[in-house]
Amino acid sequence: MSEDYLVIGDKKFKSRLFVGTGKYSTPELMLGAIEASGAEVVTVALRRMNIEGQQRTILDYLAEINCTILPNTAGCYTAEEAIRTARLARELGLSNMVKLEVIGDQKTLFPDNEALLEAARVLVKEGFIVLPYTNDDPVMAKKLEDIGCAAVMPLGAPIGSGLGIRNPYNIRIILETVRVPVIVDAGVGTASDASFAMELGCAGVLMNTGIAGAKDPIKMAKAMRLAVEAGRLAYLAGRIPKKLYASASSPMDNLIE
Amino acid sequence: MRVKVNGKEYELPENLTVLQMLNFFKINHNFVAVERNKEIVSRKDWENVKVCDGDVFEIVTFVGGG
């Protein structure tokens, strides 16, 4: 396992768990959870600065730990908004990676694939390392790979829903379809969901609410770290085939009479 | 002069550069990006670009998000 790195663009990560920084009640709790998760990649959102009541920004806190910042384009409903947000995020000078989201529907937060592809095309040309949040659609995943995205990030289930991997068969087909890393983004509710994604062969898992929304986020962050590691190991180890009938584990000869 | 910053109108002294405007608002420079009339003003240009009457600025930073 010592050489089992996740490579995205020109970056190399030991941890396959990416975590969000939203929904925490305090910055201290957020930092504690990130630390417990072992994550090296941490997502943030871009918003207007409160210029009247200056406070510490999240970056003042994140500076205390060693992590790679992955800005998102959450809240963008058009390709133009997402491109504008990504450019501003890069201007902050911390990362040329972007978790590209173009939302198509407020209730489900499902992506607008058409706009996503359009925005991804522009940002790839501008030198961004683009990680698009997409449906669990193999055709879309292939298109995103073809235009130069550094990874594809299909949703397991709607953002914040905690429903787990709703269509593992599609995730498997995506894994067979693209060569870039496949990172399940959104939907993970508990540790087994994260393990399951990794057992399928995903390169990583990205989550926010699953940890931040737990009763004890720090404990859940640790659970997720172990789950991602366990799932990865199980995938690499190669599971046994599923069979309908039993096969005895103990020898059947030399039984006492 | 009047400018709009993050959706709100402000009365500012005349002849400010972007950098001076950031100082006027006492903004920590380290973690912000600036957009003037929907075009990014790079950090290196902050001390050269003049703020004009009627300009619309967005001053952004990162916040918690997933």
Side-chain angles (χ1 to χ4, degrees):
Chain A
M1 280 297 272
S2 61
E3 289 180 14
D4 181 38
Y5 289 105
L6 167 60
V7 179
I8 295 174
D10 58 353
K11 294 186 167 65
K12 213 166 124 181
F13 304 106
K14 216 170 174 181
S15 167
R16 293 174 177 273
L17 174 57
F18 293 13
V19 296
T21 53
K23 297 186 179 174
Y24 286 98
S25 53
T26 66
E28 290 74 21
L29 188 60
M30 174 196 76
L31 284 181
I34 294 171
E35 206 164 17
S37 75
E40 292 164 90
V41 180
V42 168
T43 64
V44 293
L46 184 104
R47 292 292 180 269
R48 281 175 169 169
M49 187 165 211
N50 177 9
I51 59 170
E52 289 180 356
Q54 292 286 307
Q55 294 158 353
R56 290 184 82 188
T57 71
I58 194 168
L59 294 171
D60 291 292
Y61 293 99
L62 291 176
E64 294 173 23
I65 56 173
N66 189 18
C67 62
T68 295
I69 302 284
L70 175 58
N72 70 27
T73 61
C76 293
Y77 279 79
T78 65
E80 289 73 28
E81 283 167 21
I83 292 165
R84 187 178 169 205
T85 302
R87 285 174 181 159
L88 276 166
R90 181 161 71 173
E91 192 57 32
L92 273 137
L94 294 168
S95 180
N96 63 344
M97 293 170 87
V98 61
K99 173 186 159 178
L100 186 62
E101 295 180 46
V102 188
I103 302 301
D105 171 54
Q106 214 164 7
K107 204 167 173 184
T108 58
L109 297 178
F110 283 146
D112 178 333
N113 286 330
E114 202 179 355
L116 179 70
L117 200 60
E118 189 188 331
R121 206 173 267 132
V122 171
L123 293 171
V124 166
K125 274 194 191 128
E126 292 183 12
F128 283 87
I129 296 173
V130 179
L131 288 73
Y133 155 73
T134 172
N135 292 85
D136 52 5
D137 172 2
V139 175
M140 191 61 201
K142 185 77 179 83
K143 286 185 181 182
L144 289 163
E145 179 184 58
D146 286 346
I147 63 159
C149 290
V152 290
M153 304 209 293
L155 53 87
I159 294 171
S161 69
L163 287 173
I165 315 296
R166 292 201 307 183
N167 194 339
Y169 301 101
N170 271 29
I171 301 289
R172 275 173 60 186
I173 296 172
I174 291 173
L175 285 162
E176 285 180 16
T177 308
V178 301
R179 288 181 180 182
V180 292
V182 176
I183 297 166
V184 163
D185 177 6
V188 169
T190 189
S192 53
D193 297 335
S195 287
F196 186 35
M198 296 309 294
E199 286 167 10
L200 289 171
C202 291
V205 181
L206 193 161
M207 64 184 77
N208 190 151
T209 311
I211 295 174
K215 272 188 193 153
D216 184 338
I218 292 177
K219 214 167 256 176
M220 186 58 91
K222 189 179 177 192
M224 292 299 186
R225 173 170 69 79
L226 296 171
V228 167
E229 281 176 20
R232 177 66 181 172
L233 273 173
Y235 167 72
L236 293 175
R239 60 154 299 151
I240 59 162
K242 290 183 182 177
K243 287 182 298 189
L244 193 55
Y245 294 101
S247 70
S249 305
S250 306
M252 290 308 290
D253 48 3
N254 296 325
L255 289 165
I256 53 169
E257 279 175 20
Chain B
M1 66 182 158
R2 290 193 76 74
V3 297
K4 207 177 212 180
V5 183
N6 289 356
K8 200 172 159 187
E9 296 248 3
Y10 291 92
E11 185 69 39
L12 296 184
E14 300 295 317
N15 288 321
L16 287 186
T17 63
V18 169
L19 182 63
Q20 286 165 332
M21 181 186 71
L22 293 177
N23 290 337
F24 177 85
F25 286 113
K26 299 189 173 66
I27 288 169
N28 176 357
H29 298 175
N30 294 336
F31 301 131
V32 293
V34 179
E35 198 189 63
R36 174 178 174 254
N37 304 330
K38 297 210 168 170
E39 280 189 25
I40 289 174
V41 183
S42 311
R43 188 169 290 263
K44 62 175 169 44
D45 295 329
W46 284 355
E47 53 182 342
N48 303 320
V49 174
K50 294 270 183 230
V51 178
C52 300
D53 189 55
D55 274 353
V56 177
F57 285 93
E58 293 288 345
I59 300 175
V60 297
T61 188
F62 289 136
V63 299

